[in-house]
Amino acid sequence: MAAHRKIIHLDMDCFYAAVEVRDNPALAGKPVAVGASPTGRGVLTTANYEARKFGVRSAMPTATALRQCPDLILVPVQMDKYRAASQAIHKIFADYTDKIEPLSLDEAFLDVSDCEQCGGSATLIAEEIRQRIYDDQQLTASAGISVNKFIAKVASDWNKPNGQTVITPDQVDQFVAELPVGKIFGVGKVTEAKIHKLGVKTCGDLRPFSERELAQQFGSFGERLYRLCRGIDNRPVKSDRVRKSQSVERTFSQDRADAAALLEKLPDLMDDLERRYQKQKQRYAINGIFVKIKFHDFQTTTMAHSGRYFWDKALLSHEFAQLIEQAWLRGQRAVRLLGIGFQFVELDTAAKQGDLFTDA
Ligand code: TTP
Ligand code: MG
């Protein structure tokens, strides 16, 4: 096992537009956008780099784009073609690892930590994959290579189009320190403005704040900020799109002193969980339940019961209550967050294994 993970983030360059230009060479070198016609309120999905020079962007109303770039060539969306290209690209990824997490048709994370090709070099693997994509599809991709998803994703934007950027483990600290906070995944315009108000511009500027201070300012996202601004992101590359668990949690406005005070909140959480569970399109069989408690000092503990459950609110409430009492005894101090959730077996899989389930 490598001491650090090796994560690649791959992102195709102006994907839909690139496919269209590939398929119609007369468009090469000209400003091209893919999207709805300018009548009505149509918007663009994307534009090639020639069009971007005129300020044409994804999600821009087509009419606006044509005002800014009168020579813009407009091509209608043809999803089938983009899907076919996406599948071809994924086939190439699969030659290197099965730890692939697609984010959209043109973007994916790959965990190549255990990959033996190219002498195990993630940099060379990324180069080889990009070359193979070009040879196979005549499309260019950009890549970011680093120790986690957060940094790999930021890095893939650094040398776009048709380039790649490696942030080695010893460069991570400095790289992240200088990163504007707006680059952090999940920081939108509103959060960014709020962070700027603290006098903070870069991830480095965020580091003097304690986890508690950030949690007070930004809720549960504050805890992620605390880690991300230090370049820490332990999220795995999730190759399995099948839902494995589902949970709901509450951060209390005031810490709760003991297990009894936590149990008062259980009915609310059960209602939330029920809504979420019933809303799912796909039915999963519950294969276990768990609770999570975060004490006021941010120590966190989870406790689980495995076993088959059907949706029976009274029974589940009783079981969750028991787990909450047991989990609280592990810390025996005030609590800032309580969560409850299910572990699942997918019904299809369960059926294949010969188990029978009926919906409760
Ligand atoms: P992106 O990867 O965001 O953009 P891109 O590939 O066009 O350009 P870049 O070189 O900057 O990566 O999105 C991938 C595709 O998804 C894009 O080609 C079109 C589609 N898309 C939409 O349909 N609507 C949108 O708002 C965006 C952002 C993308
Ligand atoms: Mg892209």
Side-chain angles (χ1 to χ4, degrees):
M1 264 290 282
H4 295 278
R5 288 184 299 157
K6 298 174 190 171
I7 310 294
I8 299 174
H9 177 257
L10 246 134
D11 185 0
M12 302 300 292
D13 302 320
C14 48
F15 185 48
Y16 296 2
V19 171
E20 297 301 343
V21 174
R22 174 194 70 183
D23 293 349
N24 181 0
L27 300 179
K30 298 182 179 151
V32 174
V34 178
S37 70
T39 52
R41 272 184 288 185
V43 296
L44 300 179
T45 62
T46 192
N48 67 358
Y49 283 81
E50 286 83 351
R52 289 184 197 189
K53 280 186 212 141
F54 294 86
V56 176
R57 295 280 177 271
S58 289
M60 183 180 264
T62 307
T64 312
L66 281 169
R67 269 200 303 278
Q68 280 178 221
C69 179
D71 293 333
L72 187 67
I73 299 169
L74 205 61
V75 184
V77 179
Q78 300 184 70
M79 286 310 293
D80 288 351
K81 296 209 300 193
Y82 319 140
R83 267 192 221 105
S86 178
Q87 274 168 12
I89 293 160
H90 273 82
K91 255 206 178 122
I92 296 173
F93 296 164
D95 280 346
Y96 296 84
T97 177
D98 50 14
K99 290 186 191 156
I100 302 166
E101 180 177 342
L103 298 178
S104 65
L105 283 183
D106 88 319
E107 215 183 317
F109 287 114
L110 278 66
D111 184 335
V112 296
S113 306
D114 302 322
C115 195
E116 283 165 0
Q117 282 111 313
C118 306
S121 158
T123 307
L124 295 180
I125 291 170
E127 256 167 28
E128 193 174 285
I129 290 176
R130 290 176 42 241
Q131 184 63 47
R132 284 183 60 187
I133 290 174
Y134 188 77
D135 293 346
D136 192 61
Q137 293 289 313
Q138 296 79 54
L139 296 170
T140 63
S142 298
I145 301 111
S146 195
V147 298
N148 61 42
K149 296 208 283 193
F150 163 43
I151 301 169
K153 184 157 165 72
V154 174
S156 72
D157 239 14
W158 235 242
N159 264 317
K160 232 179 192 313
N162 199 16
Q164 66 180 52
T165 303
V166 187
I167 308 296
T168 58
D170 57 330
Q171 293 168 339
V172 163
D173 191 62
Q174 180 80 16
F175 179 80
V176 177
E178 291 168 7
L179 208 61
V181 286
K183 292 276 180 193
I184 297 177
F185 181 76
V187 173
K189 289 275 168 277
V190 175
T191 312
E192 189 181 13
K194 206 168 156 191
I195 296 176
H196 284 170
K197 272 207 190 122
L198 300 173
V200 167
K201 292 264 183 271
T202 65
C203 286
D205 298 341
L206 258 184
R207 291 181 188 171
F209 293 86
S210 71
E211 194 175 359
R212 176 170 272 270
E213 282 167 333
L214 291 178
Q216 273 161 0
Q217 289 281 341
F218 303 102
S220 58
F221 185 61
E223 294 162 31
R224 262 180 68 68
L225 273 180
Y226 180 85
R227 294 191 296 274
L228 290 174
C229 74
R230 288 167 171 74
I232 301 167
D233 175 16
N234 295 322
R235 290 172 303 162
V237 170
K238 283 195 222 124
S239 45
D240 196 353
R241 290 267 109 181
V242 173
R243 193 181 259 290
K244 294 230 176 77
S245 67
Q246 180 167 48
S247 62
V248 293
E249 55 183 48
R250 266 311 139 73
T251 302
F252 304 121
S253 49
Q254 276 184 328
D255 293 347
R256 303 226 143 201
D258 52 23
L262 292 179
L263 292 180
E264 288 170 12
K265 272 286 159 200
L266 184 56
D268 276 359
L269 281 165
M270 282 300 293
D271 287 345
D272 286 356
L273 190 62
E274 180 174 23
R275 249 193 315 277
R276 293 263 181 96
Y277 180 70
Q278 307 293 6
K279 213 166 72 184
Q280 293 181 114
K281 287 202 194 67
Q282 185 156 6
R283 275 314 181 101
Y284 295 93
I286 303 167
N287 199 37
I289 63 170
F290 61 90
V291 306
K292 170 173 146 188
I293 286 180
K294 186 178 285 177
F295 294 101
H296 68 90
D297 52 5
F298 287 82
Q299 281 282 335
T300 302
T301 187
T302 57
M303 207 154 197
H305 263 171
S306 52
R308 296 279 156 82
Y309 293 89
F310 296 110
W311 182 265
D312 174 337
K313 206 166 183 179
L315 174 74
L316 285 166
S317 295
H318 177 74
E319 298 268 300
F320 277 126
Q322 276 188 342
L323 278 181
I324 289 168
E325 281 170 352
Q326 289 166 18
W328 184 78
L329 283 174
R330 285 182 172 169
Q332 305 195 27
R333 50 195 188 273
V335 170
R336 69 188 315 267
L337 173 148
L338 173 66
I340 61 174
F342 297 137
Q343 264 130 17
F344 291 130
V345 196
E346 201 186 2
L347 278 175
D348 280 353
T349 324
K352 272 187 215 127
Q353 289 166 349
D355 292 329
L356 279 179
F357 290 92
T358 45
D359 282 347

Coordinates of all heavy atoms in Angstrom, one line a residue, residues 68-125:
Q68 N -23.1 38.7 -28.1 CA -21.7 38.8 -27.8 C -20.8 38.3 -28.8 O -19.7 38.7 -29.0 CB -21.4 38.1 -26.4 CG -21.8 39.0 -25.3 CD -21.6 38.3 -23.9 OE1 -22.4 38.4 -23.1 NE2 -20.4 37.6 -23.8
C69 N -21.3 37.3 -29.6 CA -20.5 36.6 -30.6 C -21.4 36.3 -31.8 O -21.9 35.2 -32.0 CB -19.9 35.3 -30.0 SG -18.9 34.4 -31.1
P70 N -21.6 37.3 -32.7 CA -22.5 37.2 -33.8 C -22.2 36.0 -34.7 O -23.1 35.5 -35.4 CB -22.4 38.5 -34.5 CG -21.9 39.5 -33.5 CD -21.0 38.7 -32.6
D71 N -20.9 35.6 -34.8 CA -20.5 34.6 -35.7 C -20.7 33.2 -35.1 O -20.3 32.2 -35.7 CB -19.1 34.7 -36.2 CG -18.9 36.0 -37.1 OD1 -19.9 36.3 -37.7 OD2 -17.8 36.5 -37.1
L72 N -21.2 33.2 -33.9 CA -21.3 31.9 -33.2 C -22.1 30.9 -34.0 O -23.2 31.2 -34.5 CB -22.0 32.1 -31.8 CG -22.1 31.0 -30.9 CD1 -20.7 30.6 -30.3 CD2 -23.0 31.3 -29.7
I73 N -21.6 29.7 -34.1 CA -22.3 28.6 -34.8 C -23.0 27.7 -33.7 O -22.4 27.2 -32.8 CB -21.4 27.7 -35.6 CG1 -20.7 28.6 -36.7 CG2 -22.1 26.5 -36.2 CD1 -19.5 27.9 -37.4
L74 N -24.3 27.6 -33.9 CA -25.2 27.0 -32.9 C -25.5 25.5 -33.3 O -26.0 25.3 -34.4 CB -26.4 27.8 -32.7 CG -27.1 27.6 -31.4 CD1 -26.3 28.1 -30.3 CD2 -28.4 28.5 -31.4
V75 N -25.2 24.6 -32.5 CA -25.5 23.2 -32.8 C -26.5 22.6 -31.8 O -26.3 22.9 -30.6 CB -24.2 22.3 -32.8 CG1 -24.5 20.9 -33.2 CG2 -23.1 23.0 -33.6
P76 N -27.5 21.9 -32.2 CA -28.5 21.3 -31.2 C -27.8 20.2 -30.4 O -26.9 19.5 -30.9 CB -29.6 20.8 -32.1 CG -29.1 20.7 -33.5 CD -27.9 21.6 -33.6
V77 N -28.3 20.0 -29.2 CA -27.8 19.0 -28.3 C -28.2 17.6 -28.9 O -29.3 17.4 -29.3 CB -28.5 19.1 -26.9 CG1 -28.0 18.1 -26.0 CG2 -28.3 20.5 -26.4
Q78 N -27.2 16.7 -28.9 CA -27.5 15.3 -29.3 C -26.9 14.4 -28.3 O -25.7 13.9 -28.4 CB -26.8 15.1 -30.7 CG -27.4 16.0 -31.8 CD -26.8 15.6 -33.1 OE1 -27.1 14.6 -33.7 NE2 -25.9 16.5 -33.6
M79 N -27.7 14.2 -27.2 CA -27.2 13.4 -26.1 C -26.6 12.0 -26.4 O -25.6 11.6 -25.8 CB -28.3 13.2 -25.0 CG -28.6 14.5 -24.2 SD -27.2 15.4 -23.5 CE -26.7 14.2 -22.3
D80 N -27.2 11.4 -27.4 CA -26.7 10.0 -27.7 C -25.3 10.0 -28.1 O -24.5 9.1 -27.7 CB -27.5 9.4 -28.9 CG -29.0 9.1 -28.5 OD1 -29.2 9.1 -27.2 OD2 -29.8 8.8 -29.3
K81 N -24.8 11.0 -28.8 CA -23.4 11.0 -29.2 C -22.5 11.2 -28.0 O -21.4 10.6 -27.9 CB -23.2 12.2 -30.2 CG -23.9 12.0 -31.5 CD -23.3 12.7 -32.6 CE -23.1 14.2 -32.5 NZ -22.7 14.9 -33.7
Y82 N -23.0 12.1 -27.0 CA -22.1 12.4 -25.9 C -22.1 11.1 -25.0 O -21.0 10.8 -24.4 CB -22.6 13.6 -25.1 CG -23.0 14.7 -26.0 CD1 -24.2 15.5 -25.7 CD2 -22.3 15.0 -27.2 CE1 -24.6 16.5 -26.6 CE2 -22.8 16.0 -28.0 CZ -23.9 16.7 -27.7 OH -24.3 17.7 -28.6
R83 N -23.2 10.4 -24.9 CA -23.2 9.2 -24.1 C -22.3 8.1 -24.7 O -21.6 7.5 -23.9 CB -24.7 8.6 -24.0 CG -25.4 9.2 -22.8 CD -26.7 8.4 -22.5 NE -27.6 9.4 -22.1 CZ -28.6 9.9 -22.9 NH1 -28.8 9.4 -24.1 NH2 -29.4 10.8 -22.5
A84 N -22.3 8.0 -26.0 CA -21.4 7.0 -26.6 C -20.0 7.4 -26.4 O -19.2 6.5 -26.0 CB -21.7 7.0 -28.1
A85 N -19.6 8.6 -26.5 CA -18.2 9.0 -26.2 C -17.9 8.8 -24.7 O -16.8 8.3 -24.4 CB -18.0 10.5 -26.5
S86 N -18.8 9.0 -23.9 CA -18.6 8.8 -22.4 C -18.4 7.4 -22.1 O -17.5 7.0 -21.4 CB -19.8 9.4 -21.7 OG -19.7 9.1 -20.3
Q87 N -19.1 6.5 -22.8 CA -19.0 5.1 -22.5 C -17.6 4.6 -23.0 O -16.9 3.8 -22.4 CB -20.0 4.3 -23.3 CG -21.3 4.1 -22.4 CD -22.5 3.6 -23.2 OE1 -22.3 3.1 -24.4 NE2 -23.7 3.7 -22.7
A88 N -17.2 5.1 -24.2 CA -15.9 4.7 -24.7 C -14.7 5.1 -23.7 O -13.8 4.4 -23.5 CB -15.6 5.4 -26.1
I89 N -14.9 6.3 -23.2 CA -13.9 6.8 -22.2 C -13.8 6.0 -21.0 O -12.8 5.6 -20.5 CB -14.2 8.3 -21.9 CG1 -14.1 9.2 -23.1 CG2 -13.4 8.8 -20.7 CD1 -14.8 10.5 -23.0
H90 N -15.0 5.6 -20.5 CA -15.1 4.7 -19.3 C -14.5 3.4 -19.5 O -13.9 2.8 -18.6 CB -16.5 4.6 -18.8 CG -16.9 5.8 -17.9 ND1 -17.3 7.0 -18.3 CD2 -16.8 5.9 -16.5 CE1 -17.5 7.8 -17.3 NE2 -17.2 7.1 -16.2
K91 N -14.6 2.9 -20.7 CA -14.0 1.6 -21.0 C -12.4 1.7 -20.9 O -11.8 0.8 -20.4 CB -14.3 1.2 -22.5 CG -15.3 0.2 -22.6 CD -15.1 -0.6 -24.0 CE -16.1 -1.7 -24.2 NZ -16.8 -1.5 -25.4
I92 N -11.9 2.8 -21.3 CA -10.4 3.0 -21.1 C -10.1 3.1 -19.6 O -9.2 2.5 -19.2 CB -10.0 4.3 -21.9 CG1 -10.3 4.1 -23.4 CG2 -8.6 4.7 -21.6 CD1 -10.0 5.4 -24.2
F93 N -10.9 3.9 -18.9 CA -10.6 4.0 -17.4 C -10.5 2.6 -16.8 O -9.7 2.3 -16.0 CB -11.7 4.7 -16.7 CG -11.9 6.2 -17.1 CD1 -13.1 6.8 -16.7 CD2 -10.9 6.8 -17.7 CE1 -13.3 8.2 -17.1 CE2 -11.1 8.2 -18.1 CZ -12.3 8.8 -17.8
A94 N -11.5 1.7 -17.2 CA -11.6 0.4 -16.6 C -10.4 -0.5 -16.8 O -10.2 -1.5 -16.1 CB -12.9 -0.3 -17.1
D95 N -9.6 -0.1 -17.8 CA -8.3 -0.9 -18.0 C -7.3 -0.6 -16.8 O -6.4 -1.3 -16.7 CB -7.7 -0.5 -19.3 CG -8.4 -1.2 -20.5 OD1 -9.1 -2.2 -20.2 OD2 -8.1 -0.8 -21.6
Y96 N -7.6 0.4 -16.1 CA -6.6 0.8 -15.1 C -7.1 0.5 -13.6 O -6.3 0.1 -12.8 CB -6.3 2.3 -15.2 CG -5.6 2.6 -16.5 CD1 -6.3 2.8 -17.6 CD2 -4.2 2.6 -16.6 CE1 -5.7 3.0 -18.9 CE2 -3.6 2.8 -17.8 CZ -4.4 3.0 -19.0 OH -3.7 3.2 -20.2
T97 N -8.4 0.7 -13.4 CA -8.9 0.5 -12.1 C -10.4 0.2 -12.1 O -11.1 0.6 -13.1 CB -8.6 1.7 -11.1 OG1 -9.2 1.4 -9.8 CG2 -9.2 3.0 -11.7
D98 N -10.9 -0.4 -11.1 CA -12.4 -0.4 -11.0 C -12.9 0.6 -10.0 O -14.1 0.8 -9.8 CB -13.0 -1.8 -10.7 CG -12.3 -2.5 -9.6 OD1 -11.6 -1.8 -8.8 OD2 -12.4 -3.7 -9.4
K99 N -12.0 1.3 -9.4 CA -12.4 2.4 -8.5 C -12.6 3.7 -9.3 O -11.7 4.5 -9.4 CB -11.3 2.6 -7.4 CG -11.3 1.5 -6.4 CD -10.4 1.9 -5.3 CE -10.1 0.7 -4.4 NZ -8.8 0.8 -3.7
I100 N -13.7 3.8 -9.9 CA -14.1 4.9 -10.8 C -15.3 5.5 -10.3 O -16.3 4.9 -10.1 CB -14.3 4.4 -12.3 CG1 -13.1 3.7 -12.8 CG2 -14.7 5.6 -13.2 CD1 -13.4 2.9 -14.1
E101 N -15.3 6.8 -10.1 CA -16.5 7.5 -9.6 C -16.9 8.6 -10.7 O -16.3 9.6 -10.7 CB -16.3 8.2 -8.3 CG -17.5 9.0 -7.8 CD -17.3 9.6 -6.4 OE1 -16.4 9.1 -5.7 OE2 -18.1 10.5 -6.0
P102 N -17.9 8.3 -11.5 CA -18.3 9.3 -12.5 C -19.0 10.5 -11.8 O -19.9 10.2 -10.9 CB -19.2 8.6 -13.4 CG -19.6 7.3 -12.8 CD -18.8 7.1 -11.5
L103 N -18.7 11.7 -12.2 CA -19.5 12.9 -11.7 C -20.5 13.4 -12.7 O -21.5 14.0 -12.3 CB -18.5 14.0 -11.3 CG -17.4 13.7 -10.3 CD1 -16.5 14.9 -10.1 CD2 -18.1 13.3 -9.0
S104 N -20.1 13.2 -14.0 CA -21.1 13.5 -15.0 C -20.6 12.7 -16.2 O -19.7 11.9 -16.1 CB -21.1 15.0 -15.3 OG -19.8 15.4 -15.8
L105 N -21.2 12.9 -17.4 CA -20.7 12.2 -18.6 C -19.3 12.4 -18.9 O -18.6 11.5 -19.4 CB -21.5 12.6 -19.8 CG -23.0 12.1 -20.0 CD1 -23.5 12.6 -21.3 CD2 -23.0 10.6 -19.9
D106 N -18.7 13.6 -18.6 CA -17.4 13.9 -19.0 C -16.4 14.0 -17.9 O -15.3 14.5 -18.1 CB -17.4 15.2 -19.9 CG -17.3 16.4 -19.0 OD1 -17.9 16.5 -17.9 OD2 -16.5 17.3 -19.5
E107 N -16.7 13.6 -16.7 CA -15.9 13.8 -15.6 C -15.9 12.6 -14.6 O -16.9 12.1 -14.3 CB -16.5 15.0 -14.8 CG -15.5 16.0 -14.2 CD -16.4 17.0 -13.5 OE1 -17.4 17.5 -14.0 OE2 -16.0 17.3 -12.3
A108 N -14.7 12.3 -14.1 CA -14.7 11.1 -13.2 C -13.4 11.2 -12.3 O -12.4 11.8 -12.7 CB -14.7 9.8 -14.0
F109 N -13.6 10.6 -11.1 CA -12.4 10.4 -10.3 C -12.0 8.9 -10.5 O -12.8 8.0 -10.6 CB -12.8 10.5 -8.8 CG -13.0 12.0 -8.4 CD1 -14.2 12.4 -8.0 CD2 -11.9 12.9 -8.3 CE1 -14.5 13.7 -7.6 CE2 -12.1 14.2 -7.9 CZ -13.4 14.6 -7.5
L110 N -10.6 8.7 -10.5 CA -10.1 7.4 -10.5 C -9.1 7.2 -9.3 O -8.3 8.1 -9.1 CB -9.3 7.1 -11.8 CG -10.0 6.8 -13.1 CD1 -10.9 7.9 -13.6 CD2 -9.0 6.4 -14.1
D111 N -9.3 6.2 -8.6 CA -8.3 5.9 -7.5 C -7.3 4.8 -8.1 O -7.7 3.7 -8.3 CB -9.0 5.3 -6.3 CG -8.0 5.1 -5.1 OD1 -6.8 4.9 -5.4 OD2 -8.4 5.2 -4.0
V112 N -6.1 5.3 -8.4 CA -5.1 4.4 -9.1 C -4.0 4.0 -8.1 O -2.9 3.6 -8.5 CB -4.5 5.0 -10.3 CG1 -5.6 5.2 -11.4 CG2 -3.8 6.3 -10.1
S113 N -4.3 4.1 -6.8 CA -3.3 3.7 -5.8 C -2.7 2.4 -5.9 O -1.5 2.2 -5.7 CB -3.9 3.8 -4.4 OG -4.5 5.0 -4.1
D114 N -3.5 1.4 -6.3 CA -3.0 0.0 -6.4 C -2.7 -0.4 -7.9 O -2.6 -1.6 -8.1 CB -4.1 -0.9 -5.8 CG -4.4 -0.6 -4.4 OD1 -3.4 -0.2 -3.7 OD2 -5.6 -0.7 -4.0
C115 N -2.6 0.6 -8.7 CA -2.5 0.3 -10.2 C -1.0 0.0 -10.5 O -0.1 0.7 -10.0 CB -3.0 1.5 -10.9 SG -3.3 1.3 -12.6
E116 N -0.8 -1.0 -11.3 CA 0.6 -1.4 -11.5 C 1.1 -0.9 -12.9 O 2.3 -0.9 -13.1 CB 0.8 -2.9 -11.4 CG 0.8 -3.3 -10.0 CD 0.6 -4.8 -9.8 OE1 0.5 -5.5 -10.8 OE2 0.6 -5.3 -8.6
Q117 N 0.2 -0.4 -13.7 CA 0.7 0.1 -15.0 C 1.6 1.3 -14.9 O 1.6 2.0 -13.8 CB -0.5 0.5 -15.9 CG -1.2 -0.7 -16.5 CD -2.6 -0.9 -15.9 OE1 -2.7 -0.9 -14.7 NE2 -3.6 -1.1 -16.8
C118 N 2.4 1.6 -15.9 CA 3.2 2.8 -15.9 C 4.1 2.8 -14.7 O 4.4 3.9 -14.1 CB 2.4 4.1 -16.0 SG 1.3 4.1 -17.4
G119 N 4.6 1.7 -14.2 CA 5.4 1.6 -13.0 C 4.7 2.2 -11.8 O 5.3 2.6 -10.8
G120 N 3.4 2.2 -11.8 CA 2.6 2.8 -10.7 C 2.6 4.3 -10.6 O 2.0 4.8 -9.7
S121 N 3.1 4.9 -11.6 CA 3.1 6.4 -11.6 C 1.8 7.0 -12.1 O 1.3 6.8 -13.2 CB 4.2 7.0 -12.5 OG 3.9 8.3 -12.9
A122 N 1.1 7.7 -11.2 CA -0.2 8.2 -11.5 C -0.1 9.3 -12.6 O -1.0 9.4 -13.4 CB -0.9 8.8 -10.2
T123 N 1.0 10.0 -12.6 CA 1.2 11.0 -13.6 C 1.3 10.4 -15.0 O 0.6 10.9 -15.9 CB 2.6 11.7 -13.3 OG1 2.6 12.2 -12.0 CG2 2.8 12.9 -14.3
L124 N 2.0 9.3 -15.1 CA 2.1 8.6 -16.4 C 0.8 7.9 -16.8 O 0.5 7.9 -17.9 CB 3.3 7.6 -16.4 CG 4.7 8.2 -16.2 CD1 5.7 7.1 -16.1 CD2 5.0 9.2 -17.3
I125 N 0.1 7.4 -15.8 CA -1.2 6.8 -16.1 C -2.1 7.8 -16.7 O -2.8 7.6 -17.7 CB -1.8 6.1 -14.8 CG1 -1.0 4.9 -14.4 CG2 -3.2 5.8 -15.0 CD1 -1.3 4.4 -13.0

